Amino acid sequence: MATVDQPKTATPRPEGYEAPPSVLEGDHTYATVTDKISGIVLTRKTPLSWFLIFGVGFSLMMVFFGAVGYLLLKGTGIWGINVPVAWGFAIINFVWWIGIGHAGTLISAILLLMRQEWRTSINRFAEAMTLFAVACAGMFPILHMGRPWLFYWLLPYPNVMSLWPQFRSPLVWDVFAVSTYGTVSLLFWFVGLVPDFGTMRDKAQNGTARVIYGMLSLGWRGSASHWHRYETAYLLLAGLATPLVVSVHTVVSFDFAVSVIPGWHTTVFPPYFVAGAIYSGFAMVLTLVIPIRAIYGLEDMITRRHLNNMAKVMLATGLIVAYGYMIEMFMSWYGANNFEQYMSRNRMAGPYAPIFWSLILCNVLTPQLLWFKRFRNNVVVLFLIAIVVNIGMWLERYVIVITSLHRDYLPSSWGMYHGTIWDYATYAGTIGLFLALMFLFIRVLPMISIFEVRSLVKTNRRPSHTE
Amino acid sequence: MAQIFHRSFNSISRASIPIVFLLVVAGAGASYVLYKSAYATRATVPLNQPVPFSHRHHVTGLGIDCRYCHTTVETSAFADIPPVETCMSCHSQIWTDSPMLEPVRESFRTGQPLEWTRVHDLPDFVFFDHSIHVKKGVGCVTCHGQVDQMPLMFQEKTLYMEWCLECHRQPEKFVRPREHVFDMEWKPAEDQLALGNRLVKEYKINRMTDCSTCHR
Amino acid sequence: MTSDKKQLDLTAIRERLRAQTGRDYWRSLEELADTEEFRELVHREFPRQASEWTDEVGRRGFLKLMSASLALAGLGACTTQPLEKIIPYVRPPEQLVPGKPLFFATAMTLGGNAIGLLAESHMGRPTKIEGNPSHPASLGATDAYSQASVLSLYDPDRAQAVTERGRIRSWTSLQVALAAEIDTLKTRRGRGLRILTETVGSPTLRFQLQELLRALPQAKWYEYEPVNWDNRREGTRLAFGRPMSFHYRLDQARVVLSLGSDFLCSRPESVRYARDFTARRRARENPSDMNRLYVVESVPSPTGTIADHRLPLRPSELGRFAQALAAGIAGGQPGDGETPGEHSKWLDALARDLSANRGQSLVIPGEFESPEVQRAAHQINSALGNIGKTIEYTPEPDGGRTSQSDGLRELAGEMGDGQADVLIILGANPVYAAPADLKFAERIMKPRLRVHLSPYLDETSRLCHWHVPETHFLEQWSDAEAFDGTVTIVQPLITPLYESRSAHEIVSLLQGRYRSGYDSVRDYWRSQQPGADFEKFWKTALNDGVVPGTGSAAPMAATSAVAPGAQRPQQGRTDTQGDRGEATGGPERRQTGAASPPGSTTQPRPGQRAAAPLVALQSPAQKKSDLEVGSTARPGGASLELIFRPDPSVYDGRFSNNGWLQELPKPLTKLTWDNAALLSPRTAERLGVRSEDVVELRYHGAAVQAPVWVAPGHADECVTVHLGYGREYGGKLATGAGFNAYRLRRSDTPWGGPGLEVRKTGERHRLATTQAHWSIEGRNIVRTGTVEEYQKNPHFVHEKEHGFGPELSLYPEYEYEGNAWGMAIDLNACLGCNACVVACQAENNVPVVGKDQVIKQREMHWLRIDTYHEGNLDNPKTVHQPMLCQQCEKAPCEVVCPVAATVHSSEGLNDMIYNRCVGTRYCSNNCPYKVRRFNFLQFSDKETPSLKVMYNPDVTVRDRGVMEKCTYCVQRINAARIEAKKEDRPIRDGEVVTACQAACPTHAIVFGNINDPNSQVAKLKKLSLNYSVLGELNTQPRTTYLAALRNPNPELGTE
């Protein structure tokens, strides 16, 4: 698409200031906005590319079910895990997906509270992504158990053994953290959808569609009182969700930080896990948003300004993560603990060194391109960087989980770990599951918040005060 | 444009909220009840046996002591099921031609043992020792119920872990003087807690709540 | 199952067999296995387990798994347990209390030497082996082989029915067949009858065979065992003019030199030797009295690892070394510094040290070293006046007997030229194990009738007409002789599981009158006990596991009337009959030196001890020639020296279908499920090969392909191969593992020699080891020192600690009113002999996982022996460290388990509750010692009937998806606690003995209540040598270690 020239203004801008393109481009009216977004779901023909991507996702999803079926039949032995490396892909993927699941709530809640109105056209989308990511993540802790059918023993409930879970264990904290996060995100997403369900109900031609949307809209009539209640509820949920953005990945990081294993037992984990989570979250949003806006021609609603901002967030969080790596290494040297020191040396020069260095390449070096506007504005480059960062974040978890475990305290028990075909199948499977859900969502629900974007229409002409 | 929903949907939708809630609660409750029911625990259900042996007849009727048949209850983990020989020690004399006892006689003739159905069947990962419980003053009745009232043997308690722990956590509530362990009719003359606390001291009964006490 | 029923089934099956052409035994059996009768007849023919052991993800049917996992999938939570049957006795056996184990004394024979055992029986099922404290070869301890013997008993691959040409026959049909033969043989006075047995350690069997030979004087009896003691015999013959058997008194020895002998682990009496040796090694009591061990060896051995000075020499060098030493010492100028060669300093220091300890020193020749080395050792011992003090000789029962190798060669010849008409093989497996040059497989086809008795259908059985399953020693009546003549009556704990018979019964059949093993043994001993109240004698013998009156008594002086340079006696077999007959006067005759076979040694006369050196020092010319012989193999030359050794796990192949032993990490290499060609690092470099490279070994024309394993400390320019692998028949596990070293073996040089060529093939073979990393990375996990260090500073052990001062913990300290269990492991006494590992496996139902899973690092051993090398690669210092759950006070595993499946007990145990475990494996990750084991798949076999009855009923058999680990044998603790409480007393020290502790030959493992200051373990933990591994993590382990102390010769220092 052609580059949009900046709005000319008399007042000189401070140094390095870049007037952001407006949130909503093209001359949209309420009607056009509504039609365009709801049209994607209701009237327009489904584009071929949708079928392609959904097809890929769906077939991978089948692979996933196959892998899980075999897993339940044979046991976790089909994976590459062993002693000393008793955690493998399952936990890596769990942390990876959870991380991805952070963007949604961050965008919706925190940016909302910060009155960042550019969030409006991507928050719905990001929340959906969060939900599906959390869904994928949530499965792994259960699947990786030796006897998954007993997962409910991790929940505190009255039982004939008169036993409770062991509350000192971070895994129990995980159960609460993740389930809370999932629930709140779901609520948040659904509440946000209610007004749009109303719109869809009214615009839908097909009877069943109207009934379904009607039910989901909970009798929304858009009366003043409805709007009033809606705003309050939404704000409250935003308030609730905000701490979760921090809490979830902090708790996840405790799984490692609480242990005694060199490379895990580190106080820096919580902050840099959270940063990493947001990092990967935004990367994933970009990875999805860039093709989708092309497919559905949403360039005027998800503008380059959005991409630009997300790029900046990535850069910032990326730097935090890099700092995390650095301080980890520094501490292991400074701490003068020979186990820690060996661990660091082993990461950088041991059998898994290639993975470590490609992680540095993906997560630390590549994102530095984002310093340059040229790259931030180049959609293709941005897309590629986002992909690279996604890979990088997965490698980070691989390095943390595997290289720490495979050589810990007693050299006699050292060993190697390699994922098996089933590990990869399960991982690819969840990606398929994620894609399939994502594109189903795009097909049947308004992927952009109609009413919120409408609220932007009037601000279309002049830059808002927040800039 | 036409209404999608009939107006009654307003009340239905409102009602649905508490209904769903109730259903969830009820479901949970139901499964809990089922899990404790005789269906799951097989408690209070008499099982088929090759010979309809009546503890009531032999204990109440004839006044035979538990240990006459369950010989090793004081010495071993396993209380022992009487060998056919034991049955025949009487039944070679009395009821010698009762058809009911034919399986016993046949087993004695052929040497093919009788196959009783186990009534009190703990899971394989639970290790229980009769002798020490007897030694510490746990009455037969405490776990097996009033066997002397059972025409056909059945399991009275759930045998769930919580049930074991009731006593392992608070033995004073259940223990009795050693001399009354095999007494079917014994009732504490005084307050059980007072007696219990005394016995716990006297018999040096510890609260054995380590997992490895029963699981190895 | 009643016998008549069996007959019935047999007829049915015989019909079926006639119908089809039985091509191959297994094949036809598999066809049969589908039929109901057959299942009933032989319970279950094929081990499910086996396929699972060798297969990555098992071979169970998809559906079965589905149902299984569904059943597990606690749908389980709501389903009720299936109804269980409970089956009382009809008439209860005597003295059996249901639910309480009984122990019976018996013995296991290996290489003709017995070790006394106590077998634990649960309701009539032998489940566990313990040592017999009153047996001299055991003293309550055991070795790995006897521990694993239980599994062999229940092995589902055992032959299960008498067969003729692969078809099932009844026992009676064999009797009939043999009866006819015997009649014809009688007429020929036994001409053409050849009997081949393994080394016979049973007085009764020896007696039976000699009776047979008396009845049929033309018949011949040969003993052959691939691992035989020919060189020992020959050595004594060279030294003293007549063969002697001898044993050592290591408790008397202050300086010990091993010339290539792994005397602490390799022999049946090693258990005893290890006990005696380490008794003199407990430096902590009186450091000054600590013994010193020099080891000169070609193959790294456990004995070598605890040596104070170790010198790797290839066999030829070792020969010259021995001669030089003998010359030096016997020549009366020990260590005159004139001895040539690069090791002169070493040799001189050694010579001086030995001579400085006359009568308190001991030189032990390697069982498999050349007779010359043996002679040298005897020479030195007599020169140092050790005879009768640290080494004792007794005359061989039948001195005239030729060596086993010669015997087998003779037999092969006779088979070749048709002299052997009827061949009866009792126990041995010559087709597999005979030296290749004898072409046994061809020649065995010559005899007209071939009958084989063996536990498995092996290579030999397939070439014999008749095969009779042999009873396991836990199934049979017999007797067995220990190294010092002590005899044990072997009593069965269970009626034979299958249609099997013992050698006694077969021989009695040959004698023309079938008698049960019980009768044979009893009659023999009745004949030995004239007058005495036999029943009383019999009962004591059975009860004690030792036949009263037998065993080592006054040893004979090792001197003999034979003149120097005496010719080696050449009596033929017939001449020796009388001799043999006499010799069967029985062991109890031996101890009274008076009764000795004609022509054997006379009573020691004064002054004869002095004569010994004269004998020993005969013919220096011979020594020179030895030196020449020794120097033929030039280092660096194309040709290397080949060394054969019995495998540390499967011995000569007899144990190769035993999963416990197959998966037992071999000492020092930690190899499982395979044998390899061991090379020194330097030689490997020269040849340009790495571990797991497949090379072709070419030796005197024969060739095999073998994977290389580079063994630090191995002598240069020689290659060690272990016997017992590469089986073709004989069980699911035996077949296919490793390569067959017998293919290279020659009857004239049974233990190898120069002339080996090694060629790289470029292929690679994956070997499964349980330890991948051997350097200790400068971590003070194992701590060693010298006696001097210790005397200077008793606390030197703790100075190496890099702790960070007293650690803080979030959690409060535990209080222990009653017992607090703890363990102390003396690294100074640990040989790494593996007895504890198998003992633990047997006691705790630890499953076998198979080679693939071991490669994946999923072995399940609760107790492993960590081995670390330090120092230079060519002759490293090696330390063993038994590593098991440390039962930490502040256990990292406990806090991270989400379901409280591993928790702290009130006695400080770290309880592991399998049925609560959901398998997050977090505990294993968080365990600094990595001693937790996880059931990644359904490892334990719950289907094979024979294995089901083997399991220890006091320990849960774990399912898939569950974590497990060492429990300090909590089942034994509970049993002891209950007994103590029933008697209203505290548990006594030593009342709870863990399986590993019980098995340990050297008392390296001590377990007990650390709350009781007088307990043995508490005392050990007070010692300054006591330290905890990774103590700086503040895990506060309950298992602590005593640092290893070495006693190097100051002259040599700690090089």
Side-chain angles (χ1 to χ4, degrees), chain C residues 550-817:
Chain C
T550 62
S552 64
M556 308 184 59
T559 58
S560 76
V562 184
Q567 287 307 305
R568 170 178 163 174
Q570 294 296 347
Q571 305 107 304
R573 312 292 299 177
T574 40
D575 311 343
T576 68
Q577 296 316 323
D579 181 1
R580 267 238 203 67
E582 285 302 292
T584 58
E588 78 289 343
R589 283 261 207 103
R590 279 207 202 171
Q591 35 112 14
T592 66
S596 51
S600 84
T601 57
T602 56
Q603 284 295 71
R605 277 186 255 99
Q608 277 200 329
R609 184 154 295 147
L614 295 174
V615 180
L617 274 179
Q618 60 185 292
S619 61
Q622 192 174 4
K623 202 184 91 209
K624 193 176 274 92
S625 66
D626 292 339
L627 286 167
E628 280 148 20
V629 170
S631 58
T632 47
R634 299 165 313 284
S639 126
L640 299 97
E641 288 178 43
L642 178 60
I643 305 170
F644 293 99
R645 285 286 182 269
D647 187 83
S649 295
V650 303
Y651 198 63
D652 59 2
R654 73 186 61 198
F655 298 121
S656 51
N657 205 55
N658 185 312
W660 290 350
L661 289 171
Q662 278 281 17
E663 196 155 295
L664 185 62
K666 304 183 204 291
L668 292 142
T669 63
K670 302 293 172 199
L671 282 172
T672 63
W673 294 98
D674 258 318
N675 59 343
L678 304 189
L679 290 174
S680 79
R682 212 182 275 127
T683 311
E685 244 168 83
R686 185 174 71 76
L687 299 170
V689 293
R690 297 174 298 139
S691 289
E692 299 190 334
D693 280 354
V694 176
V695 295
E696 187 186 64
L697 303 175
R698 184 167 290 284
Y699 183 66
H700 295 299
V704 295
Q705 296 209 336
V708 167
W709 188 258
V710 178
H714 196 284
D716 292 332
E717 297 305 317
C718 55
V719 176
T720 303
V721 292
H722 285 110
L723 305 169
Y725 277 91
R727 300 287 306 275
E728 286 163 25
Y729 301 89
K732 281 260 185 298
L733 306 180
T735 53
F739 65 92
N740 182 354
Y742 288 111
R743 294 241 179 82
L744 296 180
R745 212 166 180 214
R746 302 181 51 80
S747 53
D748 50 357
T749 56
W751 298 106
L756 173 73
E757 278 137 43
V758 177
R759 193 177 58 74
K760 204 171 160 184
T761 61
E763 291 163 37
R764 285 182 66 76
H765 174 81
R766 187 72 196 268
L767 294 170
T769 54
T770 57
Q771 189 174 337
H773 199 88
W774 303 85
S775 152
I776 201 147
E777 295 294 333
R779 305 177 177 188
N780 61 347
I781 299 160
V782 287
R783 307 186 188 175
T784 55
T786 64
V787 180
E788 293 86 309
E789 278 182 86
Y790 176 56
Q791 280 165 317
K792 269 199 229 79
N793 168 14
H795 295 272
F796 77 97
V797 168
H798 298 280
E799 284 169 358
K800 297 181 181 175
E801 268 162 20
H802 48 59
F804 306 99
E807 314 279 339
L808 300 175
S809 171
L810 279 175
Y811 302 108
E813 300 289 336
Y814 294 95
E815 302 288 329
Y816 303 100
E817 296 84 15

Side-chain angles (χ1 to χ4, degrees), chain A residues 70-87 144-150 152-154 161 163-166 168-172 254-256 258-261 264 335-339 342 405 407-416 420, chain C residues 57-58 62 65-66 69 72-74 77 770-773 775-777 779 781 802 811 856-858 864 866 868 883 892 894-900 914-922 924-930 932-934 936-937 960-962 1029-1030 1032-1033:
Chain A
Y70 192 58
L71 173 72
L72 292 179
L73 287 180
K74 301 299 298 187
T76 46
I78 66 170
W79 291 344
I81 45 177
N82 56 26
V83 177
V85 187
W87 281 358
H144 100 293
M145 298 193 328
R147 304 198 290 171
W149 47 89
L150 296 176
Y152 58 87
W153 280 358
L154 272 74
M161 298 169 285
L163 277 180
W164 294 104
Q166 216 260 93
R168 291 184 299 175
S169 166
L171 292 185
V172 176
F254 285 163
D255 290 354
F256 307 103
V258 160
S259 79
V260 298
I261 301 302
W264 283 12
N337 173 329
N338 61 343
F339 300 114
Y342 182 89
L405 282 176
R407 289 184 175 177
D408 63 346
Y409 287 101
L410 298 190
S412 63
S413 63
W414 289 2
M416 293 296 289
T420 65
Chain C
V57 273
F62 180 88
L65 251 167
M66 173 72 89
S69 57
L72 286 166
T770 57
Q771 189 174 337
H773 199 88
S775 152
I776 201 147
E777 295 294 333
R779 305 177 177 188
I781 299 160
H802 48 59
Y811 302 108
K856 289 195 171 80
Q857 295 166 294
R858 292 171 180 175
R864 64 173 197 262
D866 289 350
Y868 297 105
M883 185 48 68
E894 285 170 7
V895 286
V896 296
C897 175
V899 292
Y914 315 118
N915 45 298
R916 176 67 175 173
C917 178
V918 296
T920 66
R921 303 182 300 281
Y922 199 170
S924 171
N925 286 345
N926 212 26
C927 174
Y929 309 93
K930 290 287 175 285
R932 291 178 155 267
R933 300 301 187 193
F934 187 68
F936 288 93
L937 300 164
R960 145 200 159 191
V962 170
V1029 174
L1030 299 178
E1032 59 263 48
L1033 297 179

Side-chain angles (χ1 to χ4, degrees), chain A residues 341-361:
Chain A
Q341 288 176 346
Y342 182 89
M343 183 276 300
S344 305
R345 256 184 286 120
N346 184 45
R347 272 188 192 175
M348 289 183 283
Y352 290 108
I355 292 184
F356 176 78
W357 291 115
S358 39
L359 146 71
I360 297 296
L361 177 70

